[in-house]
Amino acid sequence: MQKTRFITVITALLLFIGEVPAELVSAKSLSAADAELSVKASPQAEYATRRSIPLARLLDGAVSRPDSPVPSTDTYLTVKKQGGKKTVYRVDPDGDLHQEDGVELQLRPAERARLLKAARELRAKHYGELLPWDEAKTVIPRKAKVKVIDLETGLSFNAQRRAGSSHADVQPLTKADTEIMKQIYNGSWSWRRRAILVESNGRVLAASMHGMPHGGDGIPNNGFRGHFCIHFLGSVTHGKGNVDLAHQLMVAKASGTLDAFERQLDPYDVINAFFLANEYGDSQLLAELFPDARHAQAGIRHFGAEDGTVRHQFVEAEEEVDQLVAADIRVDTCVIRGNRCADKTRSVFQMRRLSPAEPWRIDWIEKP
């Protein structure tokens, strides 16, 4: 059932290549300001793609609306005013601007179209190509050398695909490459999945990696005992052949299709994604799962994730939810401490959506 669900999501991704106004805003006072459009995978990401855009007329005549939901986004407009003061706006998919205090600026249609065009061009440069594994493995055949770029830090290292039929088994090329990879993981090897770009044969592919040496070796003197795995769209684990949700989320993030991926998830996998984001401390992914980036439960970690690994289990069997707009799902959690499961709790995830065509979001987590 889970594998079928992922196949449906992956198929949808392949098809995706794609009130009273408060006041009018004048651009006259901003005529001497500069504007920079940027794309980055998360608000904290050091790796970003930027370009300057003309500010003249962009905000002229914009309609300001207070108390609007703040969207999760990867696109930002920074306006630098005289005196060095900066205002950072989140750019939503419709081309409107949002401040962190909930003020929304609705641009005029022509300016909205101009901003969206610039954002599309920037996102195309920033993200990788979303390529299914069956095609990706021909771009990076066995023994191919690749460049791996971490989408958060911007750090990069060279590697070689050594093996792997269901996904790529890869090793850093040199000891220096191993050191950079370990730096990406803050000095400790980890199974955590990370969104990456893989450069090979003139192409840049969206992918996901973990950072744990395991299994067979092959490159001498590189300081890496074993290999690590790189996953692409639709790739599966060795052995059981499962599609790994965490890897596919990171592939979507690396291709700029995270929102499209999450819109296809049922409420159970939205909860599974929540626990992954909670474990990783991924604020961007957490914000995506709530209806508003300012949601009281979106900006914090839960269930003691700062102190240990949180395990979760659904209390009841998964039910059919295709036609529902509300589902209260009970979840048991505990924190792994040594060899035992401590701090056991039972919570209710109140899952909501506006219609069966809309994505599921976490409306509230009712805790003991």
Side-chain angles (χ1 to χ4, degrees):
M1 177 179 177
Q2 186 183 44
K3 186 173 181 180
T4 302
R5 219 163 48 221
F6 279 122
I7 292 173
T8 302
V9 171
I10 290 165
T11 302
L13 273 176
L14 287 171
L15 294 173
F16 176 82
I17 301 289
E19 297 170 32
V20 180
E23 61 176 306
L24 294 178
V25 178
S26 172
K28 292 180 180 179
S29 62
L30 301 174
S31 58
D34 296 321
E36 179 185 78
L37 191 65
S38 62
V39 173
K40 51 186 179 178
S42 73
Q44 299 80 26
E46 298 176 37
Y47 180 70
T49 304
R50 301 179 173 90
R51 61 165 287 186
S52 297
I53 64 170
L55 187 61
R57 301 189 308 278
L58 182 65
L59 302 182
D60 199 16
V63 178
S64 175
R65 296 178 59 190
D67 300 322
S68 295
V70 176
S72 177
T73 185
D74 61 356
T75 309
Y76 302 85
L77 180 72
T78 302
V79 176
K80 304 174 184 178
K81 302 178 182 178
Q82 287 181 329
K85 184 178 179 181
K86 296 181 180 180
T87 301
V88 179
Y89 298 95
R90 293 172 177 244
V91 182
D92 71 18
D94 295 323
D96 292 319
L97 307 179
H98 299 259
Q99 295 178 208
E100 297 300 325
D101 60 3
V103 173
E104 176 184 2
L105 297 183
Q106 294 182 329
L107 305 185
R108 292 178 299 157
E111 300 309 316
R112 184 185 298 124
R114 181 163 68 93
L115 183 62
L116 286 175
K117 181 176 182 293
R120 283 194 301 270
E121 293 171 352
L122 207 58
R123 296 178 86 253
K125 294 179 180 179
H126 186 75
Y127 291 115
E129 185 180 352
L130 186 62
L131 206 62
W133 168 239
D134 282 347
E135 297 179 44
K137 65 185 179 183
T138 65
V139 178
I140 50 166
R142 283 183 175 87
K143 303 301 173 69
K145 295 179 181 179
V146 301
K147 181 180 180 180
V148 176
I149 304 169
D150 180 63
L151 207 59
E152 289 289 329
T153 64
L155 293 174
S156 64
F157 61 94
N158 298 308
Q160 184 181 48
R161 180 188 170 197
R162 303 291 298 181
S165 58
S166 300
H167 58 258
D169 292 339
V170 183
Q171 295 178 15
L173 271 182
T174 67
K175 186 174 290 186
D177 292 311
T178 296
E179 290 173 356
I180 294 172
M181 183 180 177
K182 196 168 188 177
Q183 184 180 349
I184 290 171
Y185 280 93
N186 296 315
S188 299
W189 296 125
S190 169
W191 290 106
R192 174 178 175 174
R193 280 63 163 153
R194 297 184 69 95
I196 59 171
L197 305 176
V198 177
E199 291 187 4
S200 179
N201 293 321
R203 298 173 74 170
V204 181
L205 308 185
S208 169
M209 72 175 183
H210 65 63
M212 181 61 70
H214 68 287
D217 208 338
I219 299 179
N221 303 317
N222 68 347
F224 196 89
R225 301 183 65 178
H227 66 267
F228 68 98
C229 300
I230 292 182
H231 280 249
F232 297 85
L233 179 65
S235 60
V236 299
T237 59
H238 295 317
K240 293 183 179 180
N242 293 327
V243 176
D244 184 279
L245 173 62
H247 275 308
Q248 294 305 309
L249 279 165
M250 293 300 112
V251 171
K253 193 172 186 178
S255 61
T257 60
L258 185 59
D259 181 67
F261 183 89
E262 290 177 344
R263 291 180 71 87
Q264 304 298 320
L265 297 179
D266 67 23
Y268 298 97
D269 275 333
V270 171
I271 294 172
N272 289 332
F274 164 86
F275 279 100
L276 286 168
N278 189 52
E279 177 183 351
Y280 296 167
D282 189 328
S283 60
Q284 177 75 1
L285 181 52
L286 272 176
E288 291 270 357
L289 303 175
F290 288 87
D292 188 326
R294 294 177 300 164
H295 192 287
Q297 294 180 317
I300 59 175
R301 297 178 76 180
H302 300 260
F303 305 108
E306 303 93 336
D307 303 320
T309 300
V310 177
R311 293 283 180 259
H312 75 284
Q313 182 177 0
F314 298 116
V315 177
E316 289 87 19
E318 297 182 20
E319 299 179 354
E320 182 59 56
V321 295
D322 283 354
Q323 299 306 313
L324 300 181
V325 295
D328 291 343
I329 299 175
R330 297 194 298 169
V331 181
D332 286 341
T333 60
C334 69
V335 181
I336 303 299
R337 302 189 191 282
N339 295 321
R340 66 188 185 93
C341 202
D343 302 332
K344 297 181 180 180
T345 61
R346 176 168 290 179
S347 304
V348 179
F349 281 70
Q350 298 172 1
M351 309 299 296
R352 302 291 185 268
R353 58 180 174 176
L354 296 178
S355 76
E358 293 296 312
W360 287 98
R361 291 291 181 258
I362 301 170
D363 190 64
W364 190 257
I365 306 170
E366 192 68 40
K367 300 179 182 179

